[in-house]
């Protein structure tokens, strides 16, 4: 595979221009959305067969140019926040101009001010082999951006109590002790304490009473980020030790201070580094940030770089993309997993097939190993989904975990509040996920079947280098047919292919160069290994 070409524009007059002489080109604009507190359809595509009579001027972060005859192409990735969140507005990111002789000229637009920030950089990824080659090139590039010291951190199964909507009202030492013990039974690897562990009170706290803050933390209270002495009279060390005894880690929610364009970034970096140095904490969910201009974006980058360098790359950040103006999918590539969405059954906003849809649609463009996706406690708020055949309670617990199997799973619940039957159904699948994850997230991950909509056959495949093996998860939603036939792009199996069912309730055979799958009941799934 050709290496990606990185094009860095230092000023407007150096915008990159290149020519493609072929006349038969398919051009795709991929429109990504974040701010998932107010948006749910996260990926849309517009497609053109380029024509001499049409000039294009488009915004975005992802564009695909493919020769329809050969399947060779290029992915053009703008390494910047999404257009709405950029430090410097870019009214046009790419221009396509028909040539009078043959083919087309392409102009990749950088920062119109010549400011030299991340919005001035493009990656041009060459690929062959059509869709499979495109996805492989994109995922390989994103994985290559992870700092060398952090490459040893595979996806982790993380829990966070905020999904049960008690917010911080239950957070204290005794409650977290229960969470750790329950998490050990479930197979959770990181027990993350969300907003409320700290002495200062945020706007989202159950204690806020209109007095909490969402920025300016250092100004409001110099010891804002000390553990709350009432909730944790012994500090956090007893919890980190308890978690370590079970082979687990403690994680923390943290709100980097956005005030004055992250003027306090060095204080935040020192605080995060101290929690790592003193307590061994290396998983932080970064929330509440707002980066409206170039200075804010630059300081935010300095914060993450400082912590990474100070800790030898041992800190893992989950970057929340649910609200405000934040770096998003490609603004700080390589910093850490993306905390994609907040969904709650309390607010009637969680449906398993909707989360599965978001993961499925994003996976063709954003490496699934970068995505943190949630599953909930389906026994809560059943009354809020009357006569709904796609209500969370209609799914078995293992089917809920299966919806996020090809991601960084997020147990968005109080583990100690889960029914015993929930743990019994999910724990074996968690073990399988851990056994497979190295293989799973080193392969090229492709969405299969139809986009989840509640009634489709859908799923994912992770195809290993060389195409001789694959891990496949097939999901039958409320589809009346118990059988489907699926092509597995990139898998080179011909004739005899071994189909091993690893988990789930289904059967599979390889026949006529495709995977033939039977799942007898709806809202069910099957996990399969393919080998030639």
């Amino acid at each position: 595979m050709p290496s990606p070409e990185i094009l860095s524009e230092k000023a407007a007059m150096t915008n990159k221009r290149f020519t493609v002489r072929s006349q038969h080109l398919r051009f795709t604009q991929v429109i990504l959305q974040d701010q998932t507190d107010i948006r749910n359809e996260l990926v849309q595509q517009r497609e053109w067969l380029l024509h001499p009579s049409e000039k294009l001027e488009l915004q975005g972060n992802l564009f695909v140019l493919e020769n329809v005859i050969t399947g060779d192409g290029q992915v053009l990735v703008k390494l910047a926040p999404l257009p709405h969140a950029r430090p410097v507005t870019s009214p046009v990111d790419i221009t396509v101009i028909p040539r009078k002789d043959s083919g087309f000229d392409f102009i990749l637009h950088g920062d119109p001010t010549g400011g030299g920030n991340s919005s001035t950089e493009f990656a041009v990824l060459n690929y062959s082999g059509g869709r499979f080659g495109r996805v492989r090139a994109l995922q390989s590039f994103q994985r290559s951006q992870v700092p060398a010291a952090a490459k040893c951190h595979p996806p982790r199964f993380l829990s966070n109590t905020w999904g049960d909507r008690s917010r911080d009202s239950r957070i204290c030492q005794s409650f977290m002790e229960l969470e750790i013990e329950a998490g050990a039974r479930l197979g959770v690897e990181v027990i993350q304490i969300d907003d409320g562990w700290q002495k200062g009170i945020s706007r989202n706290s159950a204690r806020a009473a209109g007095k909490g803050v969402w920025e300016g933390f250092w100004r409001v209270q110099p010891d804002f980020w000390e553990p709350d002495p009432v909730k944790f009279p012994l500090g956090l060390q007893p919890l980190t030790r308890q978690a370590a005894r079970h082979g687990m880690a403690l994680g923390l929610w943290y709100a980097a201070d956005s005030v004055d364009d992250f003027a306090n970034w060095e204080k935040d970096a020192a605080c995060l580094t101290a929690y790592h140095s003193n307590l061994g904490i290396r998983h932080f969910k970064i929330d509440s940030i707002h980066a409206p201009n170039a200075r804010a974006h630059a300081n935010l980058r300095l914060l993450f770089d400082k912590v990474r360098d100070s800790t030898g790359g041992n800190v893992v950040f989950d970057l929340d993309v649910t609200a405000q103006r934040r770096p998003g999918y490609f603004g700080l590539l390589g910093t850490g997993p993306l905390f994609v969405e907040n969904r709650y059954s309390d607010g009637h906003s969680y449906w398993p097939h909707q989360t599965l849809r978001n993961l499925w649609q994003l996976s063709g463009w954003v490496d699934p190993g970068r995505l943190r996706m949630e599953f909930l406690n389906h026994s809560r708020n059943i009354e809020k989904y009357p006569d709904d055949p796609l209500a969370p309670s209609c799914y078995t617990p293992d089917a809920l975990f299966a919806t996020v199997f090809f991601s960084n799973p997020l147990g968005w619940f109080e583990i100690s509040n889960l029914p015993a039957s929930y743990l019994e159904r999910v724990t074996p699948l968690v073990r399988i996920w851990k056994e497979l994850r190295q293989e799973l997230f080193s392969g090229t991950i492709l969405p299969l079947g139809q986009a989840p909509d509640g009634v489709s056959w859908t799923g994912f495949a992770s195809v290993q280098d060389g195409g001789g093996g694959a891990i496949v998860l097939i999901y039958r939603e409320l589809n009346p047919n118990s059988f489907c036939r699926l092509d597995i792009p990139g898998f080179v199996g011909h004739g005899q292919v071994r189909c091993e069912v690893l988990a789930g309730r289904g059967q599979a055979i390889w026949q006529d160069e495709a995977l033939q799958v039977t799942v007898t009941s709806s809202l069910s799934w099957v996990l399969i290994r393919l080998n030639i």
Side-chain angles (χ1 to χ4, degrees):
M1 184 192 309
S3 298
E5 179 183 2
I6 307 298
L7 307 169
S8 183
E9 338 299 349
K10 297 305 180 185
M13 68 282 292
T14 64
N15 287 338
K16 177 67 178 180
R17 184 181 185 122
F18 65 93
T19 299
V20 178
R21 294 291 181 178
S22 174
Q23 194 63 51
H24 303 296
L25 300 173
R26 177 183 292 109
F27 187 77
T28 305
Q29 175 194 27
V30 182
I31 303 168
L32 300 177
Q33 301 279 10
D34 58 3
Q35 296 184 334
T36 55
D37 283 351
I38 59 172
R39 296 187 177 97
N40 188 65
E41 198 68 18
L42 305 183
V43 183
Q44 293 91 34
Q45 298 178 45
R46 299 176 68 196
E47 183 180 288
W48 294 261
L49 280 180
L50 296 184
H51 191 272
S53 65
E54 188 172 18
K55 174 183 177 181
L56 301 176
E57 293 183 309
L58 303 171
Q59 264 193 337
N61 288 70
L62 284 172
F63 306 93
V64 181
L65 174 64
E66 184 173 300
N67 186 308
V68 298
I69 296 172
T70 66
D72 296 338
Q74 295 176 312
V75 187
L76 313 174
V77 187
K78 190 160 190 176
L79 302 177
L82 297 181
H84 76 87
R86 286 189 190 152
V88 179
T89 301
S90 306
V92 177
D93 293 308
I94 191 166
T95 301
V96 183
I97 305 172
R99 294 182 61 86
K100 291 183 179 179
D101 45 7
S102 178
F104 301 86
D105 289 333
F106 297 83
I107 302 174
L108 307 180
H109 296 276
D111 178 353
T113 70
N117 58 51
S118 63
S119 66
T120 66
E121 192 173 81
F122 272 89
V124 179
L125 314 179
N126 301 308
Y127 71 89
S128 59
R131 174 177 173 247
F132 178 80
R134 181 204 80 210
V135 174
R136 180 176 59 182
L138 258 171
Q139 292 180 5
S140 296
F141 171 66
Q142 291 172 68
R143 294 168 190 175
S144 75
Q145 299 305 292
V146 177
K151 289 186 184 297
C152 60
H153 305 322
R156 289 282 188 263
F157 176 23
L158 183 150
S159 72
N160 186 305
T161 64
W162 203 265
D164 276 7
R165 298 308 287 144
S166 59
R167 294 185 287 172
D168 59 342
S169 64
R170 302 189 68 190
I171 291 176
C172 65
Q173 181 169 329
S174 60
F175 173 68
M176 293 311 305
E177 288 171 349
L178 293 174
E179 287 293 290
I180 291 170
E181 295 302 316
R185 293 192 293 274
L186 183 60
V188 172
E189 295 168 287
V190 181
I191 300 286
Q192 186 179 77
I193 314 178
D194 210 287
D195 184 0
W197 64 269
Q198 74 283 359
K199 188 174 182 179
I201 299 176
S202 88
R203 189 179 65 195
N204 280 344
S205 170
R207 303 174 292 161
K211 297 180 181 179
V213 296
W214 204 232
E215 63 177 9
F217 309 110
W218 294 103
R219 181 175 59 207
V220 169
Q221 191 172 341
D223 59 352
F224 193 98
W225 294 110
E226 292 294 320
D228 186 317
V230 175
K231 295 180 177 183
F232 301 101
L234 301 177
L236 298 177
Q237 192 170 66
L239 297 178
T240 62
R241 289 175 174 170
Q242 180 188 1
R245 287 196 295 271
H246 291 291
M248 302 160 66
L250 195 70
L252 296 178
W253 175 91
Y254 192 88
D257 195 351
S258 300
V259 75
D260 297 331
D261 304 325
F262 295 96
N264 291 312
W265 72 266
E266 290 178 286
K267 290 183 178 180
D268 283 319
C271 183
L272 293 167
T273 300
Y275 274 111
H276 176 265
S277 300
N278 298 332
L279 294 176
I281 295 173
R282 64 184 185 92
H283 291 270
F284 295 95
K285 175 188 173 186
I286 303 299
D287 198 2
S288 95
I289 61 175
H290 181 62
N293 55 48
R295 180 172 179 263
H297 194 83
N299 284 340
L300 189 59
R301 181 180 289 275
L302 287 170
L303 189 164
F304 291 127
D305 288 349
K306 179 67 173 178
V307 175
R308 181 193 66 209
D309 294 343
S310 299
T311 64
N314 283 315
V315 163
V316 179
F317 295 112
D318 273 22
L319 302 184
D320 188 294
V321 297
T322 64
Q324 298 176 285
R325 294 177 65 179
R326 299 177 182 175
Y329 302 108
F330 293 101
L332 286 174
L333 192 59
T335 303
L338 300 169
F339 189 101
V340 177
E341 60 191 19
N342 300 307
R343 298 290 181 260
Y344 308 102
S345 59
D346 303 71
H348 198 241
S349 66
Y350 172 66
W351 286 267
H353 75 281
Q354 291 274 15
T355 294
L356 180 61
R357 178 183 180 87
N358 289 336
L359 174 59
W360 191 96
Q361 291 187 319
L362 285 169
S363 66
W365 309 103
V366 181
D367 179 17
R370 297 179 58 216
L371 301 174
R372 178 81 61 196
M373 307 298 293
E374 83 276 76
F375 68 109
L376 274 66
N377 179 351
H378 70 332
S379 68
R380 298 180 66 251
N381 302 307
I382 294 174
E383 72 285 354
K384 296 192 176 184
Y385 295 81
D387 304 316
D388 186 344
L390 292 170
S393 60
C394 296
Y395 292 75
T396 60
D398 58 299
L400 295 175
F401 188 83
T403 63
V404 299
F405 195 90
F406 276 70
S407 75
N408 289 264
L410 168 63
W412 198 222
F413 42 58
E414 298 172 3
I415 318 169
S416 56
N417 196 35
L418 291 172
S421 59
Y422 197 106
L423 274 68
E424 292 169 4
R425 294 293 292 268
V426 175
T427 301
L429 189 55
V430 171
R431 284 198 295 267
I432 292 172
W433 180 82
K434 290 178 182 177
E435 292 167 1
L436 295 177
R437 66 177 158 198
Q438 197 65 44
E439 180 181 355
L440 197 69
F441 295 103
S442 63
T444 299
I445 297 175
L446 298 108
L448 300 179
Q450 299 173 309
D453 58 7
V455 295
S456 69
W457 277 91
T458 189
F460 302 89
S462 174
V463 181
Q464 300 307 301
D465 285 347
I471 298 171
V472 180
L473 188 145
I474 303 300
Y475 216 109
R476 176 188 170 189
E477 299 189 290
L478 286 180
N479 190 285
N481 300 313
S482 61
F483 168 85
C484 77
R485 179 184 184 278
L486 293 161
D487 295 322
I488 311 297
F491 180 67
V492 297
H494 301 288
Q496 285 294 111
V497 172
R498 297 190 299 276
C499 299
E500 178 189 1
V501 173
L502 302 176
R505 291 172 290 281
Q507 299 177 334
I509 60 171
W510 186 264
Q511 189 173 31
D512 299 328
E513 309 304 316
L515 184 64
Q516 319 273 356
V517 180
T518 300
V519 177
T520 55
S521 57
S522 59
L523 300 184
S524 294
W525 56 280
V526 62
L527 182 68
I528 307 154
R529 183 191 293 279
L530 302 180
N531 282 306
I532 56 176

